[in-house]
Amino acid sequence: MTIASAPGKVILFGEHAVVSGVAALGAAIDLRVVAKVEDAPGKLEIEVPNLNLNVKGFALDALKKEILSTKICEDAFQATKYVSTVLQKFDVRNVKVVVESEIPPSSGLGSSASVVVASLASINFHLGLGLSIDELAKEAYKIEKEVQQGLGSPTDTALATYGGYQMVREKAESIELPELKLIVGYTGVPHNTRLEVEKVQNFRESCPQIVDPIFQAMGEISRSSLNCIREQKLNKLGELMNANHGLLEALGVGTKELSELVYASRGAGNARGAKLTGAGGGGCMVAIPSPEYDGVIKAMTSIVQAGGKAFLVTTGCEGVKIEH
Amino acid sequence: MTIASAPGKVILFGEHAVVSGVAALGAAIDLRVVAKVEDAPGKLEIEVPNLNLNVKGFALDALKKEILSTKICEDAFQATKYVSTVLQKFDVRNVKVVVESEIPPSSGLGSSASVVVASLASINFHLGLGLSIDELAKEAYKIEKEVQQGLGSPTDTALATYGGYQMVREKAESIELPELKLIVGYTGVPHNTRLEVEKVQNFRESCPQIVDPIFQAMGEISRSSLNCIREQKLNKLGELMNANHGLLEALGVGTKELSELVYASRGAGNARGAKLTGAGGGGCMVAIPSPEYDGVIKAMTSIVQAGGKAFLVTTGCEGVKIEH
């Protein structure tokens, strides 16, 4: 039996602008997908028992049982599709793959990339396929792109594979930066990345004189953020997050729910800054909490009280690894 | 007895950017200040009986009587100061001036400029001072600036005097545009214009590479809006408002309350677009409602349900006038 795990990701700065060649900064986070492969002679089974789907706690579970269980099925089905594409691609037989995830699906935290990377790494090790880490990243990206019918971004699979931070312009490149404590707030609203990306690109086509300077400001924020993370200037980093959030709102990818979590964390949560992360239109936001224990609790509580689910994560964590 | 009235104003696009020479568009709105002057031999009295201060309706009135009445005193005192400066400036005696206002004070709707313009126009007519309309605008600006200790903007007094629309770059210039139906939503949170302007200017000084492109995008939005208003392309105008709101959030002048009213009007209110107006940090937002009767009711209801006070206004209305 082999167990491999891969981290999720957040985009810290520059989402959307990156589609037009502006620098974005992504970070691996220590919410992980675990893929277990064991021999199963004559069989080929995939099991997805846990995808961290109790996104709103017991209340929603009890009140909207039907919706929640539909959701489980759909997301579990989606995860199964990624794993089965991995198995097909490498003509794998006689195994059982079990995937569990700490990353809420369809939330913009890269769960599908992590599912692909973790299951591919586990199979690679278990069956001795001999893929190097770079080959693993490349194959995982191909598979994610195939299942998502051409969408997918090399950033997600790169972060799931290498961990740490990735600076993305036309391609993703690893960049050395220290860890950050971050609160991720999930609105519970799944989003459609393709839709949000198209919306922004359409806006850009119809109004380049408005959107291009917005992208320019975003690129500058991404660049400025590197030094803040390096020197742990958290107040300044928070200000950059606030500015970047406004620019994403200007592009039309903000939502009421995201805004509520963002303002809750900045206000009652005493965070140094907050922004939506990823494509927007739902999904997650991130906040830099005041660093002491109280600050972290306050930021998390504020997000939960505003109707979200809160995770304390460390950015820049380890990439894919064989756990067993 | 002479009665004169002057309109309030909203900034439709380009606030804050205008401080750095980017074009902004302001409009007079048909919430008015009425100033009545009558002879009062041997006396010099100012009365401010009504400043539209029941900003949250009866609930707040009953619950927070103390706070509300302090507020009344402070704002009434402020209005009195404007009027008494007018009287002093022109060495007026033997009159009683009564000022009433439909414009909530300290809300960014230009109530102080309207108080100055209406009372000056009333005195000008009543005592035959012989000020031309241009002189009236100029004197009113001087008086507002003096009372506000150097702040003040010629836009507010120009809109209160001439009505219509003003395009502001370095100076304000009248521009011909058709009327618009607009919903103004007041958060009930008074704001400090000076503070917000300083905040943005400090941000610009420390991060010009981020703030200058934001201003550039704002200028482009202001320019694009003219054609939309001319041709009554309300959907497009709404999109420009949404983009401008995000840029103001990026500059750091958004608040939880403003964001709540903005999202309520865009969502349940079915508005075509919404943004904060003026300096931010409190004050008002504006929304373009769907034009039919239902649309207006929906937009206003959504704002009230989100905790604001809603006004239906017409932009581009008449400037100062002698009513009696």
Side-chain angles (χ1 to χ4, degrees), chain A residues 281-316:
Chain A
C284 292
M285 48 71 73
V286 290
I288 311 238
S290 296
E292 69 285 4
Y293 177 77
D294 267 11
V296 170
I297 297 294
K298 250 191 199 163
M300 295 185 76
T301 308
S302 71
I303 287 169
V304 171
Q305 282 175 342
K309 184 172 190 180
F311 305 88
L312 172 62
V313 303
T314 303
T315 61

Coordinates of all heavy atoms in Angstrom, one line a residue, chain A residues 281-316:
Chain A
G281 N -16.7 35.2 -7.9 CA -18.0 34.7 -8.2 C -18.5 33.6 -7.3 O -19.5 32.9 -7.5
G282 N -17.9 33.5 -6.1 CA -18.1 32.5 -5.1 C -16.7 32.0 -4.6 O -15.8 32.7 -4.7
G283 N -16.7 30.8 -4.0 CA -15.4 30.3 -3.6 C -14.9 31.0 -2.3 O -15.7 31.2 -1.4
C284 N -13.6 31.3 -2.3 CA -13.0 31.6 -1.0 C -12.4 33.1 -1.0 O -12.2 33.7 -2.0 CB -11.8 30.7 -0.7 SG -12.4 29.0 -0.4
M285 N -12.2 33.5 0.2 CA -11.4 34.7 0.5 C -10.2 34.4 1.4 O -10.3 33.3 2.0 CB -12.2 35.9 1.0 CG -13.1 35.6 2.2 SD -12.4 35.3 3.8 CE -11.8 37.0 4.2
V286 N -9.2 35.2 1.5 CA -8.2 35.0 2.4 C -8.0 36.3 3.2 O -8.2 37.4 2.8 CB -6.8 34.7 1.7 CG1 -6.9 33.3 1.1 CG2 -6.5 35.7 0.6
A287 N -7.5 36.1 4.5 CA -7.3 37.2 5.3 C -5.9 37.0 6.1 O -5.6 35.9 6.4 CB -8.4 37.4 6.4
I288 N -5.2 38.1 6.3 CA -4.0 38.0 7.1 C -4.4 38.4 8.6 O -4.7 39.5 8.8 CB -2.9 39.0 6.7 CG1 -2.7 38.9 5.2 CG2 -1.7 38.9 7.5 CD1 -1.4 38.6 4.8
P289 N -4.4 37.4 9.5 CA -4.8 37.7 10.8 C -3.8 38.5 11.6 O -2.6 38.4 11.2 CB -5.0 36.3 11.5 CG -4.1 35.5 10.7 CD -3.9 36.0 9.3
S290 N -4.2 39.2 12.6 CA -3.2 39.7 13.6 C -2.5 38.5 14.1 O -3.1 37.4 14.4 CB -3.9 40.4 14.7 OG -4.5 41.6 14.2
P291 N -1.2 38.5 14.3 CA -0.4 37.3 14.5 C -0.6 36.5 15.8 O -0.5 35.3 15.8 CB 1.0 37.7 14.3 CG 1.1 39.2 14.6 CD -0.3 39.7 14.3
E292 N -0.9 37.2 16.8 CA -1.0 36.5 18.1 C -2.2 35.6 18.1 O -3.1 35.7 17.3 CB -1.1 37.5 19.3 CG -2.4 38.3 19.3 CD -2.4 39.4 18.3 OE1 -1.5 39.5 17.4 OE2 -3.4 40.1 18.3
Y293 N -2.3 34.6 19.1 CA -3.3 33.6 19.1 C -4.7 34.2 19.0 O -5.5 33.8 18.3 CB -3.1 32.8 20.4 CG -4.2 31.8 20.7 CD1 -4.2 30.6 20.0 CD2 -5.2 32.0 21.6 CE1 -5.1 29.6 20.2 CE2 -6.2 31.0 21.8 CZ -6.2 29.8 21.1 OH -7.1 28.9 21.3
D294 N -4.9 35.3 19.9 CA -6.2 36.0 19.9 C -6.6 36.5 18.5 O -7.8 36.4 18.1 CB -6.1 37.2 20.8 CG -6.6 36.9 22.2 OD1 -6.8 35.7 22.5 OD2 -6.8 37.8 23.0
G295 N -5.7 37.0 17.8 CA -5.9 37.6 16.5 C -6.4 36.5 15.5 O -7.4 36.7 14.7
V296 N -5.8 35.3 15.6 CA -6.2 34.2 14.7 C -7.7 33.8 15.0 O -8.5 33.6 14.1 CB -5.2 33.0 14.9 CG1 -5.8 31.8 14.1 CG2 -3.9 33.4 14.3
I297 N -7.9 33.6 16.3 CA -9.3 33.2 16.7 C -10.3 34.3 16.3 O -11.4 33.9 15.8 CB -9.3 33.1 18.3 CG1 -8.4 32.0 18.8 CG2 -10.8 32.8 18.8 CD1 -8.8 30.6 18.3
K298 N -10.0 35.5 16.5 CA -10.9 36.6 16.2 C -11.2 36.6 14.7 O -12.4 36.7 14.3 CB -10.3 38.0 16.5 CG -10.9 38.7 17.6 CD -10.4 40.1 17.7 CE -10.7 40.7 19.1 NZ -9.9 41.8 19.4
A299 N -10.2 36.4 13.8 CA -10.4 36.5 12.4 C -11.3 35.3 12.0 O -12.2 35.4 11.2 CB -9.1 36.4 11.7
M300 N -11.0 34.1 12.6 CA -11.7 32.9 12.2 C -13.2 33.0 12.6 O -14.1 32.7 11.9 CB -11.1 31.6 12.8 CG -9.7 31.4 12.2 SD -9.0 29.8 12.7 CE -9.9 28.6 11.7
T301 N -13.4 33.5 13.9 CA -14.7 33.7 14.4 C -15.6 34.6 13.6 O -16.7 34.4 13.3 CB -14.7 34.2 15.9 OG1 -13.8 33.3 16.6 CG2 -16.0 34.2 16.5
S302 N -14.9 35.7 13.2 CA -15.7 36.7 12.4 C -16.1 36.1 11.1 O -17.3 36.4 10.6 CB -14.7 38.0 12.1 OG -13.7 37.6 11.2
I303 N -15.3 35.3 10.5 CA -15.7 34.7 9.2 C -16.9 33.7 9.4 O -17.8 33.7 8.6 CB -14.5 34.0 8.5 CG1 -13.6 35.1 8.0 CG2 -14.9 33.0 7.4 CD1 -12.2 34.6 7.6
V304 N -16.8 32.9 10.4 CA -17.9 31.9 10.7 C -19.2 32.7 11.0 O -20.2 32.3 10.6 CB -17.5 31.0 11.9 CG1 -18.6 30.2 12.3 CG2 -16.3 30.1 11.5
Q305 N -19.1 33.8 11.8 CA -20.3 34.5 12.2 C -20.9 35.2 10.9 O -22.1 35.5 10.9 CB -19.9 35.6 13.3 CG -19.9 34.9 14.6 CD -19.4 35.8 15.7 OE1 -18.9 36.9 15.5 NE2 -19.7 35.4 17.0
A306 N -20.1 35.5 9.9 CA -20.6 36.1 8.7 C -21.1 35.0 7.7 O -21.4 35.3 6.6 CB -19.5 37.0 8.1
G307 N -21.1 33.8 8.2 CA -21.7 32.7 7.4 C -20.7 31.9 6.6 O -21.1 31.0 5.7
G308 N -19.4 32.0 6.8 CA -18.5 31.2 6.1 C -17.9 30.1 6.9 O -18.2 29.9 8.0
K309 N -17.0 29.3 6.2 CA -16.3 28.3 6.9 C -14.8 28.8 6.9 O -14.3 29.2 5.9 CB -16.4 27.0 6.2 CG -15.7 25.8 6.9 CD -15.9 24.5 6.3 CE -15.4 23.4 7.2 NZ -15.6 22.0 6.6
A310 N -14.2 28.7 8.1 CA -12.8 29.3 8.2 C -11.8 28.2 8.4 O -12.0 27.3 9.2 CB -12.8 30.3 9.4
F311 N -10.6 28.3 7.7 CA -9.5 27.4 7.9 C -8.2 28.3 8.2 O -8.0 29.3 7.6 CB -9.2 26.7 6.6 CG -10.3 25.9 6.0 CD1 -11.2 26.5 5.1 CD2 -10.5 24.6 6.3 CE1 -12.2 25.8 4.5 CE2 -11.5 23.9 5.7 CZ -12.4 24.5 4.8
L312 N -7.5 27.8 9.2 CA -6.2 28.4 9.4 C -5.2 27.6 8.6 O -5.1 26.4 8.8 CB -5.8 28.4 10.9 CG -4.4 28.8 11.3 CD1 -4.1 30.2 10.9 CD2 -4.1 28.6 12.7
V313 N -4.5 28.3 7.7 CA -3.5 27.5 6.9 C -2.1 28.2 6.9 O -2.0 29.4 7.3 CB -4.0 27.5 5.4 CG1 -5.3 26.8 5.3 CG2 -4.0 28.8 4.7
T314 N -1.1 27.4 6.6 CA 0.2 27.9 6.4 C 0.5 27.9 4.9 O 0.3 26.8 4.3 CB 1.2 27.1 7.2 OG1 0.8 27.1 8.5 CG2 2.6 27.7 7.1
T315 N 1.0 29.0 4.4 CA 1.3 29.0 2.9 C 2.7 28.6 2.7 O 3.6 28.6 3.6 CB 1.1 30.5 2.3 OG1 2.0 31.3 3.0 CG2 -0.3 31.0 2.5
G316 N 3.0 28.2 1.5 CA 4.4 27.8 1.2 C 4.8 26.5 1.7 O 6.0 26.2 1.9

